[in-house]
PDB file of all heavy atoms in Angstrom:
ATOM      1  N   GLY K   1       0.775  -1.223   0.000  1.00  0.00           N
ATOM      2  CA  GLY K   1       0.000   0.000   0.000  1.00  0.00           C
ATOM      3  C   GLY K   1       0.808   1.275   0.000  1.00  0.00           C
ATOM      4  O   GLY K   1       0.274   2.343  -0.337  1.00  0.00           O
ATOM      5  N   SER K   2       2.061   1.199   0.385  1.00  0.00           N
ATOM      6  CA  SER K   2       2.910   2.376   0.379  1.00  0.00           C
ATOM      7  C   SER K   2       4.312   1.990  -0.059  1.00  0.00           C
ATOM      8  O   SER K   2       4.750   0.860   0.155  1.00  0.00           O
ATOM      9  CB  SER K   2       2.944   3.047   1.758  1.00  0.00           C
ATOM     10  OG  SER K   2       3.514   2.191   2.730  1.00  0.00           O
ATOM     11  N   THR K   3       5.000   2.928  -0.675  1.00  0.00           N
ATOM     12  CA  THR K   3       6.367   2.729  -1.132  1.00  0.00           C
ATOM     13  C   THR K   3       7.210   3.933  -0.772  1.00  0.00           C
ATOM     14  O   THR K   3       6.691   5.016  -0.494  1.00  0.00           O
ATOM     15  CB  THR K   3       6.433   2.499  -2.647  1.00  0.00           C
ATOM     16  OG1 THR K   3       5.844   3.617  -3.323  1.00  0.00           O
ATOM     17  CG2 THR K   3       5.687   1.230  -3.036  1.00  0.00           C
ATOM     18  N   ALA K   4       8.511   3.738  -0.769  1.00  0.00           N
ATOM     19  CA  ALA K   4       9.456   4.819  -0.519  1.00  0.00           C
ATOM     20  C   ALA K   4      10.666   4.622  -1.416  1.00  0.00           C
ATOM     21  O   ALA K   4      11.065   3.493  -1.696  1.00  0.00           O
ATOM     22  CB  ALA K   4       9.870   4.847   0.950  1.00  0.00           C
ATOM     23  N   TYR K   5      11.247   5.740  -1.865  1.00  0.00           N
ATOM     24  CA  TYR K   5      12.390   5.694  -2.762  1.00  0.00           C
ATOM     25  C   TYR K   5      13.445   6.699  -2.347  1.00  0.00           C
ATOM     26  O   TYR K   5      13.135   7.781  -1.845  1.00  0.00           O
ATOM     27  CB  TYR K   5      11.974   6.013  -4.201  1.00  0.00           C
ATOM     28  CG  TYR K   5      11.011   5.026  -4.804  1.00  0.00           C
ATOM     29  CD1 TYR K   5       9.642   5.224  -4.724  1.00  0.00           C
ATOM     30  CD2 TYR K   5      11.484   3.895  -5.454  1.00  0.00           C
ATOM     31  CE1 TYR K   5       8.749   4.311  -5.278  1.00  0.00           C
ATOM     32  CE2 TYR K   5      10.603   2.979  -6.012  1.00  0.00           C
ATOM     33  CZ  TYR K   5       9.238   3.195  -5.923  1.00  0.00           C
ATOM     34  OH  TYR K   5       8.354   2.296  -6.471  1.00  0.00           O
ATOM     35  N   ALA K   6      14.693   6.335  -2.584  1.00  0.00           N
ATOM     36  CA  ALA K   6      15.763   7.306  -2.468  1.00  0.00           C
ATOM     37  C   ALA K   6      15.618   8.343  -3.570  1.00  0.00           C
ATOM     38  O   ALA K   6      15.167   8.035  -4.683  1.00  0.00           O
ATOM     39  CB  ALA K   6      17.125   6.619  -2.568  1.00  0.00           C
ATOM     40  N   ASP K   7      16.006   9.580  -3.273  1.00  0.00           N
ATOM     41  CA  ASP K   7      15.892  10.637  -4.272  1.00  0.00           C
ATOM     42  C   ASP K   7      16.674  10.308  -5.543  1.00  0.00           C
ATOM     43  O   ASP K   7      16.275  10.698  -6.645  1.00  0.00           O
ATOM     44  CB  ASP K   7      16.384  11.959  -3.696  1.00  0.00           C
ATOM     45  CG  ASP K   7      15.432  12.545  -2.672  1.00  0.00           C
ATOM     46  OD1 ASP K   7      14.251  12.141  -2.642  1.00  0.00           O
ATOM     47  OD2 ASP K   7      15.868  13.418  -1.898  1.00  0.00           O
ATOM     48  N   SER K   8      17.771   9.596  -5.401  1.00  0.00           N
ATOM     49  CA  SER K   8      18.629   9.304  -6.536  1.00  0.00           C
ATOM     50  C   SER K   8      17.986   8.375  -7.561  1.00  0.00           C
ATOM     51  O   SER K   8      18.424   8.335  -8.713  1.00  0.00           O
ATOM     52  CB  SER K   8      19.954   8.707  -6.056  1.00  0.00           C
ATOM     53  OG  SER K   8      19.735   7.515  -5.328  1.00  0.00           O
ATOM     54  N   VAL K   9      16.958   7.628  -7.156  1.00  0.00           N
ATOM     55  CA  VAL K   9      16.321   6.681  -8.068  1.00  0.00           C
ATOM     56  C   VAL K   9      14.865   7.006  -8.335  1.00  0.00           C
ATOM     57  O   VAL K   9      14.235   6.345  -9.178  1.00  0.00           O
ATOM     58  CB  VAL K   9      16.438   5.239  -7.548  1.00  0.00           C
ATOM     59  CG1 VAL K   9      17.887   4.890  -7.242  1.00  0.00           C
ATOM     60  CG2 VAL K   9      15.567   5.029  -6.311  1.00  0.00           C
ATOM     61  N   LYS K  10      14.328   7.991  -7.667  1.00  0.00           N
ATOM     62  CA  LYS K  10      12.922   8.339  -7.811  1.00  0.00           C
ATOM     63  C   LYS K  10      12.612   8.705  -9.261  1.00  0.00           C
ATOM     64  O   LYS K  10      13.326   9.487  -9.887  1.00  0.00           O
ATOM     65  CB  LYS K  10      12.572   9.482  -6.872  1.00  0.00           C
ATOM     66  CG  LYS K  10      11.085   9.717  -6.677  1.00  0.00           C
ATOM     67  CD  LYS K  10      10.847  10.740  -5.566  1.00  0.00           C
ATOM     68  CE  LYS K  10      11.402  10.269  -4.239  1.00  0.00           C
ATOM     69  NZ  LYS K  10      11.144  11.248  -3.145  1.00  0.00           N
ATOM     70  N   GLY K  11      11.554   8.128  -9.780  1.00  0.00           N
ATOM     71  CA  GLY K  11      11.179   8.355 -11.165  1.00  0.00           C
ATOM     72  C   GLY K  11      11.798   7.390 -12.141  1.00  0.00           C
ATOM     73  O   GLY K  11      11.374   7.326 -13.300  1.00  0.00           O
ATOM     74  N   ARG K  12      12.803   6.634 -11.705  1.00  0.00           N
ATOM     75  CA  ARG K  12      13.473   5.668 -12.569  1.00  0.00           C
ATOM     76  C   ARG K  12      13.256   4.223 -12.116  1.00  0.00           C
ATOM     77  O   ARG K  12      13.185   3.319 -12.949  1.00  0.00           O
ATOM     78  CB  ARG K  12      14.976   5.946 -12.631  1.00  0.00           C
ATOM     79  CG  ARG K  12      15.323   7.323 -13.183  1.00  0.00           C
ATOM     80  CD  ARG K  12      16.827   7.475 -13.391  1.00  0.00           C
ATOM     81  NE  ARG K  12      17.567   7.370 -12.131  1.00  0.00           N
ATOM     82  CZ  ARG K  12      18.498   6.451 -11.875  1.00  0.00           C
ATOM     83  NH1 ARG K  12      18.812   5.553 -12.809  1.00  0.00           N
ATOM     84  NH2 ARG K  12      19.132   6.433 -10.711  1.00  0.00           N
ATOM     85  N   PHE K  13      13.172   4.014 -10.811  1.00  0.00           N
ATOM     86  CA  PHE K  13      13.015   2.674 -10.253  1.00  0.00           C
ATOM     87  C   PHE K  13      11.605   2.505  -9.705  1.00  0.00           C
ATOM     88  O   PHE K  13      11.004   3.460  -9.199  1.00  0.00           O
ATOM     89  CB  PHE K  13      14.003   2.425  -9.113  1.00  0.00           C
ATOM     90  CG  PHE K  13      15.448   2.323  -9.520  1.00  0.00           C
ATOM     91  CD1 PHE K  13      15.877   2.638 -10.798  1.00  0.00           C
ATOM     92  CD2 PHE K  13      16.392   1.904  -8.593  1.00  0.00           C
ATOM     93  CE1 PHE K  13      17.207   2.541 -11.165  1.00  0.00           C
ATOM     94  CE2 PHE K  13      17.730   1.802  -8.938  1.00  0.00           C
ATOM     95  CZ  PHE K  13      18.139   2.120 -10.224  1.00  0.00           C
ATOM     96  N   THR K  14      11.103   1.283  -9.761  1.00  0.00           N
ATOM     97  CA  THR K  14       9.794   0.961  -9.221  1.00  0.00           C
ATOM     98  C   THR K  14       9.874  -0.336  -8.433  1.00  0.00           C
ATOM     99  O   THR K  14      10.316  -1.360  -8.962  1.00  0.00           O
ATOM    100  CB  THR K  14       8.740   0.819 -10.325  1.00  0.00           C
ATOM    101  OG1 THR K  14       8.687   2.014 -11.111  1.00  0.00           O
ATOM    102  CG2 THR K  14       7.368   0.561  -9.715  1.00  0.00           C
ATOM    103  N   ILE K  15       9.449  -0.291  -7.183  1.00  0.00           N
ATOM    104  CA  ILE K  15       9.401  -1.489  -6.358  1.00  0.00           C
ATOM    105  C   ILE K  15       7.974  -2.025  -6.349  1.00  0.00           C
ATOM    106  O   ILE K  15       7.011  -1.259  -6.328  1.00  0.00           O
ATOM    107  CB  ILE K  15       9.899  -1.215  -4.921  1.00  0.00           C
ATOM    108  CG1 ILE K  15      10.033  -2.521  -4.131  1.00  0.00           C
ATOM    109  CG2 ILE K  15       8.994  -0.229  -4.196  1.00  0.00           C
ATOM    110  CD1 ILE K  15      10.730  -2.347  -2.779  1.00  0.00           C
ATOM    111  N   SER K  16       7.840  -3.338  -6.383  1.00  0.00           N
ATOM    112  CA  SER K  16       6.537  -3.974  -6.337  1.00  0.00           C
ATOM    113  C   SER K  16       6.678  -5.331  -5.676  1.00  0.00           C
ATOM    114  O   SER K  16       7.789  -5.816  -5.455  1.00  0.00           O
ATOM    115  CB  SER K  16       5.938  -4.109  -7.744  1.00  0.00           C
ATOM    116  OG  SER K  16       6.754  -4.928  -8.562  1.00  0.00           O
ATOM    117  N   ARG K  17       5.548  -5.944  -5.361  1.00  0.00           N
ATOM    118  CA  ARG K  17       5.592  -7.264  -4.749  1.00  0.00           C
ATOM    119  C   ARG K  17       4.407  -8.092  -5.187  1.00  0.00           C
ATOM    120  O   ARG K  17       3.338  -7.574  -5.508  1.00  0.00           O
ATOM    121  CB  ARG K  17       5.640  -7.162  -3.217  1.00  0.00           C
ATOM    122  CG  ARG K  17       4.376  -6.603  -2.570  1.00  0.00           C
ATOM    123  CD  ARG K  17       4.610  -6.301  -1.084  1.00  0.00           C
ATOM    124  NE  ARG K  17       4.959  -7.497  -0.326  1.00  0.00           N
ATOM    125  CZ  ARG K  17       5.573  -7.490   0.852  1.00  0.00           C
ATOM    126  NH1 ARG K  17       5.924  -6.330   1.410  1.00  0.00           N
ATOM    127  NH2 ARG K  17       5.837  -8.629   1.470  1.00  0.00           N
ATOM    128  N   ASP K  18       4.612  -9.394  -5.168  1.00  0.00           N
ATOM    129  CA  ASP K  18       3.563 -10.358  -5.452  1.00  0.00           C
ATOM    130  C   ASP K  18       3.584 -11.347  -4.298  1.00  0.00           C
ATOM    131  O   ASP K  18       4.390 -12.280  -4.284  1.00  0.00           O
ATOM    132  CB  ASP K  18       3.801 -11.046  -6.786  1.00  0.00           C
ATOM    133  CG  ASP K  18       2.657 -11.964  -7.185  1.00  0.00           C
ATOM    134  OD1 ASP K  18       1.849 -12.346  -6.318  1.00  0.00           O
ATOM    135  OD2 ASP K  18       2.560 -12.298  -8.383  1.00  0.00           O
ATOM    136  N   ASN K  19       2.714 -11.129  -3.328  1.00  0.00           N
ATOM    137  CA  ASN K  19       2.740 -11.959  -2.130  1.00  0.00           C
ATOM    138  C   ASN K  19       2.366 -13.407  -2.412  1.00  0.00           C
ATOM    139  O   ASN K  19       2.806 -14.312  -1.701  1.00  0.00           O
ATOM    140  CB  ASN K  19       1.812 -11.364  -1.069  1.00  0.00           C
ATOM    141  CG  ASN K  19       2.388 -10.119  -0.432  1.00  0.00           C
ATOM    142  OD1 ASN K  19       3.564  -9.806  -0.603  1.00  0.00           O
ATOM    143  ND2 ASN K  19       1.561  -9.393   0.306  1.00  0.00           N
ATOM    144  N   ALA K  20       1.558 -13.637  -3.437  1.00  0.00           N
ATOM    145  CA  ALA K  20       1.207 -15.004  -3.807  1.00  0.00           C
ATOM    146  C   ALA K  20       2.423 -15.783  -4.282  1.00  0.00           C
ATOM    147  O   ALA K  20       2.450 -17.009  -4.180  1.00  0.00           O
ATOM    148  CB  ALA K  20       0.119 -15.002  -4.874  1.00  0.00           C
ATOM    149  N   LYS K  21       3.428 -15.076  -4.809  1.00  0.00           N
ATOM    150  CA  LYS K  21       4.644 -15.713  -5.299  1.00  0.00           C
ATOM    151  C   LYS K  21       5.824 -15.532  -4.359  1.00  0.00           C
ATOM    152  O   LYS K  21       6.938 -15.943  -4.682  1.00  0.00           O
ATOM    153  CB  LYS K  21       5.008 -15.161  -6.679  1.00  0.00           C
ATOM    154  CG  LYS K  21       3.975 -15.449  -7.756  1.00  0.00           C
ATOM    155  CD  LYS K  21       4.412 -14.884  -9.096  1.00  0.00           C
ATOM    156  CE  LYS K  21       3.395 -15.208 -10.174  1.00  0.00           C
ATOM    157  NZ  LYS K  21       3.794 -14.650 -11.493  1.00  0.00           N
ATOM    158  N   ASN K  22       5.591 -14.910  -3.210  1.00  0.00           N
ATOM    159  CA  ASN K  22       6.664 -14.658  -2.245  1.00  0.00           C
ATOM    160  C   ASN K  22       7.846 -13.943  -2.889  1.00  0.00           C
ATOM    161  O   ASN K  22       9.007 -14.280  -2.652  1.00  0.00           O
ATOM    162  CB  ASN K  22       7.138 -15.954  -1.602  1.00  0.00           C
ATOM    163  CG  ASN K  22       6.245 -16.423  -0.475  1.00  0.00           C
ATOM    164  OD1 ASN K  22       5.139 -15.928  -0.277  1.00  0.00           O
ATOM    165  ND2 ASN K  22       6.726 -17.406   0.287  1.00  0.00           N
ATOM    166  N   THR K  23       7.546 -12.935  -3.695  1.00  0.00           N
ATOM    167  CA  THR K  23       8.585 -12.276  -4.473  1.00  0.00           C
ATOM    168  C   THR K  23       8.400 -10.761  -4.449  1.00  0.00           C
ATOM    169  O   THR K  23       7.272 -10.268  -4.539  1.00  0.00           O
ATOM    170  CB  THR K  23       8.578 -12.766  -5.924  1.00  0.00           C
ATOM    171  OG1 THR K  23       8.760 -14.189  -5.943  1.00  0.00           O
ATOM    172  CG2 THR K  23       9.708 -12.128  -6.721  1.00  0.00           C
ATOM    173  N   VAL K  24       9.515 -10.047  -4.332  1.00  0.00           N
ATOM    174  CA  VAL K  24       9.535  -8.605  -4.470  1.00  0.00           C
ATOM    175  C   VAL K  24      10.413  -8.263  -5.669  1.00  0.00           C
ATOM    176  O   VAL K  24      11.391  -8.963  -5.949  1.00  0.00           O
ATOM    177  CB  VAL K  24      10.031  -7.913  -3.178  1.00  0.00           C
ATOM    178  CG1 VAL K  24      11.470  -8.302  -2.862  1.00  0.00           C
ATOM    179  CG2 VAL K  24       9.883  -6.407  -3.272  1.00  0.00           C
ATOM    180  N   TYR K  25      10.064  -7.193  -6.372  1.00  0.00           N
ATOM    181  CA  TYR K  25      10.751  -6.815  -7.599  1.00  0.00           C
ATOM    182  C   TYR K  25      11.285  -5.393  -7.507  1.00  0.00           C
ATOM    183  O   TYR K  25      10.760  -4.553  -6.774  1.00  0.00           O
ATOM    184  CB  TYR K  25       9.809  -6.893  -8.796  1.00  0.00           C
ATOM    185  CG  TYR K  25       9.137  -8.231  -8.969  1.00  0.00           C
ATOM    186  CD1 TYR K  25       7.869  -8.465  -8.459  1.00  0.00           C
ATOM    187  CD2 TYR K  25       9.774  -9.265  -9.651  1.00  0.00           C
ATOM    188  CE1 TYR K  25       7.247  -9.692  -8.614  1.00  0.00           C
ATOM    189  CE2 TYR K  25       9.164 -10.491  -9.811  1.00  0.00           C
ATOM    190  CZ  TYR K  25       7.902 -10.704  -9.297  1.00  0.00           C
ATOM    191  OH  TYR K  25       7.287 -11.924  -9.454  1.00  0.00           O
ATOM    192  N   LEU K  26      12.312  -5.140  -8.277  1.00  0.00           N
ATOM    193  CA  LEU K  26      12.801  -3.785  -8.475  1.00  0.00           C
ATOM    194  C   LEU K  26      13.015  -3.581  -9.966  1.00  0.00           C
ATOM    195  O   LEU K  26      13.961  -4.121 -10.543  1.00  0.00           O
ATOM    196  CB  LEU K  26      14.104  -3.537  -7.710  1.00  0.00           C
ATOM    197  CG  LEU K  26      14.617  -2.104  -7.754  1.00  0.00           C
ATOM    198  CD1 LEU K  26      13.682  -1.169  -6.981  1.00  0.00           C
ATOM    199  CD2 LEU K  26      16.035  -2.014  -7.197  1.00  0.00           C
ATOM    200  N   GLN K  27      12.121  -2.829 -10.574  1.00  0.00           N
ATOM    201  CA  GLN K  27      12.253  -2.475 -11.975  1.00  0.00           C
ATOM    202  C   GLN K  27      13.125  -1.236 -12.075  1.00  0.00           C
ATOM    203  O   GLN K  27      12.797  -0.198 -11.501  1.00  0.00           O
ATOM    204  CB  GLN K  27      10.879  -2.207 -12.595  1.00  0.00           C
ATOM    205  CG  GLN K  27      10.919  -1.768 -14.048  1.00  0.00           C
ATOM    206  CD  GLN K  27      11.408  -2.856 -14.973  1.00  0.00           C
ATOM    207  OE1 GLN K  27      11.012  -4.004 -14.841  1.00  0.00           O
ATOM    208  NE2 GLN K  27      12.276  -2.493 -15.911  1.00  0.00           N
ATOM    209  N   MET K  28      14.221  -1.336 -12.802  1.00  0.00           N
ATOM    210  CA  MET K  28      15.182  -0.255 -12.920  1.00  0.00           C
ATOM    211  C   MET K  28      15.242   0.199 -14.375  1.00  0.00           C
ATOM    212  O   MET K  28      15.644  -0.570 -15.252  1.00  0.00           O
ATOM    213  CB  MET K  28      16.565  -0.697 -12.434  1.00  0.00           C
ATOM    214  CG  MET K  28      16.573  -1.244 -11.014  1.00  0.00           C
ATOM    215  SD  MET K  28      18.240  -1.627 -10.402  1.00  0.00           S
ATOM    216  CE  MET K  28      18.673  -2.959 -11.511  1.00  0.00           C
ATOM    217  N   ASP K  29      14.843   1.425 -14.611  1.00  0.00           N
ATOM    218  CA  ASP K  29      14.854   2.009 -15.943  1.00  0.00           C
ATOM    219  C   ASP K  29      15.812   3.193 -15.978  1.00  0.00           C
ATOM    220  O   ASP K  29      16.177   3.749 -14.946  1.00  0.00           O
ATOM    221  CB  ASP K  29      13.451   2.471 -16.342  1.00  0.00           C
ATOM    222  CG  ASP K  29      12.446   1.346 -16.416  1.00  0.00           C
ATOM    223  OD1 ASP K  29      12.805   0.253 -16.887  1.00  0.00           O
ATOM    224  OD2 ASP K  29      11.283   1.564 -15.999  1.00  0.00           O
ATOM    225  N   SER K  30      16.188   3.585 -17.178  1.00  0.00           N
ATOM    226  CA  SER K  30      17.088   4.733 -17.366  1.00  0.00           C
ATOM    227  C   SER K  30      18.324   4.623 -16.484  1.00  0.00           C
ATOM    228  O   SER K  30      18.710   5.573 -15.796  1.00  0.00           O
ATOM    229  CB  SER K  30      16.339   6.040 -17.090  1.00  0.00           C
ATOM    230  OG  SER K  30      15.224   6.185 -17.944  1.00  0.00           O
ATOM    231  N   LEU K  31      18.944   3.472 -16.514  1.00  0.00           N
ATOM    232  CA  LEU K  31      20.079   3.208 -15.637  1.00  0.00           C
ATOM    233  C   LEU K  31      21.268   4.102 -15.972  1.00  0.00           C
ATOM    234  O   LEU K  31      21.514   4.430 -17.134  1.00  0.00           O
ATOM    235  CB  LEU K  31      20.479   1.745 -15.726  1.00  0.00           C
ATOM    236  CG  LEU K  31      19.569   0.798 -14.945  1.00  0.00           C
ATOM    237  CD1 LEU K  31      19.754  -0.639 -15.412  1.00  0.00           C
ATOM    238  CD2 LEU K  31      19.857   0.911 -13.447  1.00  0.00           C
ATOM    239  N   LYS K  32      21.985   4.472 -14.923  1.00  0.00           N
ATOM    240  CA  LYS K  32      23.157   5.324 -15.017  1.00  0.00           C
ATOM    241  C   LYS K  32      24.371   4.587 -14.477  1.00  0.00           C
ATOM    242  O   LYS K  32      24.233   3.691 -13.642  1.00  0.00           O
ATOM    243  CB  LYS K  32      22.946   6.610 -14.212  1.00  0.00           C
ATOM    244  CG  LYS K  32      21.711   7.403 -14.584  1.00  0.00           C
ATOM    245  CD  LYS K  32      21.529   8.584 -13.641  1.00  0.00           C
ATOM    246  CE  LYS K  32      20.293   9.375 -13.985  1.00  0.00           C
ATOM    247  NZ  LYS K  32      20.096  10.516 -13.049  1.00  0.00           N
ATOM    248  N   PRO K  33      25.574   4.963 -14.908  1.00  0.00           N
ATOM    249  CA  PRO K  33      26.767   4.311 -14.364  1.00  0.00           C
ATOM    250  C   PRO K  33      26.846   4.372 -12.839  1.00  0.00           C
ATOM    251  O   PRO K  33      27.348   3.429 -12.220  1.00  0.00           O
ATOM    252  CB  PRO K  33      27.918   5.088 -15.008  1.00  0.00           C
ATOM    253  CG  PRO K  33      27.355   5.545 -16.306  1.00  0.00           C
ATOM    254  CD  PRO K  33      25.914   5.877 -16.012  1.00  0.00           C
ATOM    255  N   GLU K  34      26.347   5.434 -12.236  1.00  0.00           N
ATOM    256  CA  GLU K  34      26.380   5.552 -10.786  1.00  0.00           C
ATOM    257  C   GLU K  34      25.424   4.596 -10.080  1.00  0.00           C
ATOM    258  O   GLU K  34      25.446   4.506  -8.849  1.00  0.00           O
ATOM    259  CB  GLU K  34      26.102   6.994 -10.341  1.00  0.00           C
ATOM    260  CG  GLU K  34      24.865   7.599 -10.963  1.00  0.00           C
ATOM    261  CD  GLU K  34      25.182   8.456 -12.173  1.00  0.00           C
ATOM    262  OE1 GLU K  34      25.996   8.027 -13.016  1.00  0.00           O
ATOM    263  OE2 GLU K  34      24.621   9.570 -12.276  1.00  0.00           O
TER     264      GLU K  34
END
């Protein structure tokens, strides 16, 4: 129901979860060398 992000990744990364699969995800877009 709620999420939190570091400022450095906000707008680029998305965290989600599927409790039925016991799995959490991190979708990372627009990746940077840092």
Side-chain angles (χ1 to χ4, degrees):
S2 63
T3 58
Y5 297 92
D7 288 342
S8 59
V9 307
K10 194 172 299 181
R12 300 187 297 120
F13 291 10
T14 304
I15 188 171
S16 62
R17 67 190 299 160
D18 186 342
N19 286 348
K21 297 181 178 179
N22 279 12
T23 302
V24 63
Y25 305 95
L26 186 68
Q27 177 67 43
M28 305 185 295
D29 298 321
S30 301
L31 282 163
K32 305 175 181 179
E34 50 263 44

